[in-house]
Amino acid sequence: MRAARLIKMVLLLQSRPAMTAAELAQELEVSERTVTRDAQALSEAGVPVYAERGRAGGYRLIGGYRTRLTGLARGEAEALFLSGVPGALREMGLEDAASAARLKVSAALLPSLRDASRTAAQRFHLDAPSWFREPRTPELLPVVADAVWDDRCLAARYRRGEEEVVRELEPYGLVLKAGVWYLCARVARADGDGAFRVYRIDRFTAAEPGGERFARDEDFDLPAFWAERSAQFARSILRAEVVVRLSPRGVRGLPHAVDAPAAREALEAAGAPDGDGWVTVTLPVESEEVAHTQLTGLGPEVEVLAPRALRERFARDARRLAGLYGGPDAAGPT
């Protein structure tokens, strides 16, 4: 542990002109007294660490000293490619590896380029979770992530409806979608049909890496697999249909009121507008209940034609609204 900290201290000093004891203590997560002892140990080992006293003082390396300990370990290199998603790195337990990788890259750069990581971080930031949703890290995510990185079989227990299911999985990849973590895995042939499936990690109740590694299918393409399954899932939940008329304004608002792929499919199949400019479309929806909630947002820019029960529900809504707004004080206070 101390050896890793000493290496990190050298890399920090190599990537910056000078650092105070307080700055080093914060970066290394130790006390300033420990920083002093570590600097003395480095000096005794032949690393030219020099301490300057005073307000502008601090620790620095003398004479352009450069360590050769800048080669990236495999885990650090892999973590570096994920450094644009700091929250995901932290949740998977890879924050330290990414930090070490960034330090090594900074140490290898020319002095004029060493602020690249800081300037990039000031200009770009990825916030994956959706609005109005408190992100929760699944407790078992680090365990699953370790198995993914190591191509190690995973014995998992997860909730499926009201029951729990046990599976032996070959974990191929992790996906973070709108703040929710998913595992793309192949069911081990000894425990199933060998098919690739998607599992929500927050539904895992137990996960334990096995002692054996699995032979990864090199043809497996995680982004392509996820895109295909996402499209299948989005379409699979649209089990019902409604027929509606839309005003020109309703046509423009439909993709914002309902599922965008469903709106696009409906509008592409629509016929020509009628004499009033209204378009009739058949819209895939999850259910009549969901359709009622979604289409209500379009107000008078949509007319439900079928099914009859949904049309009658909108008619009742219209009568209630007329009762609220159509009385003698309909114009409101002046």
Side-chain angles (χ1 to χ4, degrees), residues 14-329:
Q14 186 173 311
S15 63
R16 307 179 193 182
M19 295 184 69
T20 66
E23 290 171 338
L24 284 168
Q26 182 176 3
E27 290 280 357
L28 300 172
E29 299 180 351
V30 295
S31 67
E32 293 186 32
R33 185 185 297 271
T34 299
V35 168
T36 301
R37 288 197 299 264
D38 285 352
Q40 183 177 352
L42 287 171
S43 181
E44 292 173 355
V47 179
V49 178
Y50 175 70
E52 287 184 333
R53 300 186 181 278
R55 292 184 59 186
Y59 292 92
R60 68 180 72 244
L61 294 174
I62 301 175
Y65 176 86
R66 297 183 67 79
T67 177
R68 296 186 179 183
L69 297 174
T70 53
L72 294 180
R74 180 175 182 82
E76 294 168 346
E78 290 170 336
L80 186 60
F81 284 101
L82 294 172
S83 58
V85 281
L89 282 169
R90 184 173 55 255
E91 293 176 6
M92 289 190 291
L94 295 173
E95 190 173 26
D96 289 343
S99 175
R102 286 192 294 269
L103 279 173
K104 290 182 178 182
V105 170
S106 295
L109 292 174
L110 294 172
S112 61
L113 299 177
R114 286 179 187 162
D115 66 342
S117 62
R118 180 181 60 83
T119 56
Q122 289 174 341
R123 289 163 173 79
F124 302 99
H125 176 68
L126 175 64
D127 187 6
S130 57
W131 286 104
F132 312 116
R133 182 174 188 169
E134 187 69 25
R136 294 182 180 180
T137 304
E139 181 179 348
L140 295 171
L141 176 60
V143 175
V144 176
D146 284 345
V148 169
W149 284 115
D150 207 24
D151 290 343
R152 196 170 293 277
C153 294
L154 188 72
R157 181 187 298 272
Y158 68 96
R159 297 187 303 275
R160 188 172 67 182
E162 298 297 323
E163 61 178 350
E164 283 195 349
V165 179
V166 178
R167 287 288 184 270
E168 186 77 17
L169 302 175
E170 296 176 356
Y172 268 69
L174 291 168
V175 175
L176 178 60
K177 171 72 170 179
V180 180
W181 283 96
Y182 296 88
L183 172 67
C184 301
R186 182 163 61 183
V187 180
R189 295 191 181 278
D191 196 32
D193 56 6
F196 284 97
R197 293 193 172 89
V198 177
Y199 302 86
R200 276 186 62 145
I201 295 180
D202 57 7
R203 293 179 182 168
F204 282 12
T205 57
E208 183 176 351
E212 297 182 357
R213 289 185 172 87
F214 63 89
R216 176 177 284 267
D217 183 353
E218 296 302 328
D219 293 330
F220 179 78
D221 185 330
L222 179 60
F225 172 79
W226 178 257
E228 178 185 355
R229 289 303 174 92
S230 297
Q232 290 176 357
F233 173 75
R235 193 63 184 86
S236 69
I237 64 174
L238 303 178
R239 301 185 180 93
E241 289 183 344
V242 299
V243 181
V244 299
R245 289 178 70 237
L246 297 163
S247 70
R249 186 174 179 181
V251 169
R252 294 192 298 272
L254 187 65
H256 305 287
V258 303
D259 301 284
R264 183 172 58 251
E265 176 183 326
L267 293 173
E268 288 175 353
D274 60 20
D276 297 323
W278 286 56
V279 175
T280 299
V281 302
T282 299
L283 180 68
V285 294
E286 185 174 346
S287 65
E288 290 185 22
E289 184 68 31
V290 172
H292 176 263
T293 300
Q294 293 176 331
L295 294 175
T296 295
L298 292 176
E301 309 304 326
V302 61
E303 177 190 2
V304 175
L305 303 179
R308 185 177 183 83
L310 184 60
R311 179 178 174 85
E312 291 175 349
R313 185 170 181 178
F314 272 91
R316 290 194 296 271
D317 290 347
R319 289 192 292 271
R320 290 180 62 193
L321 286 171
L324 290 172
Y325 295 102
D329 297 326

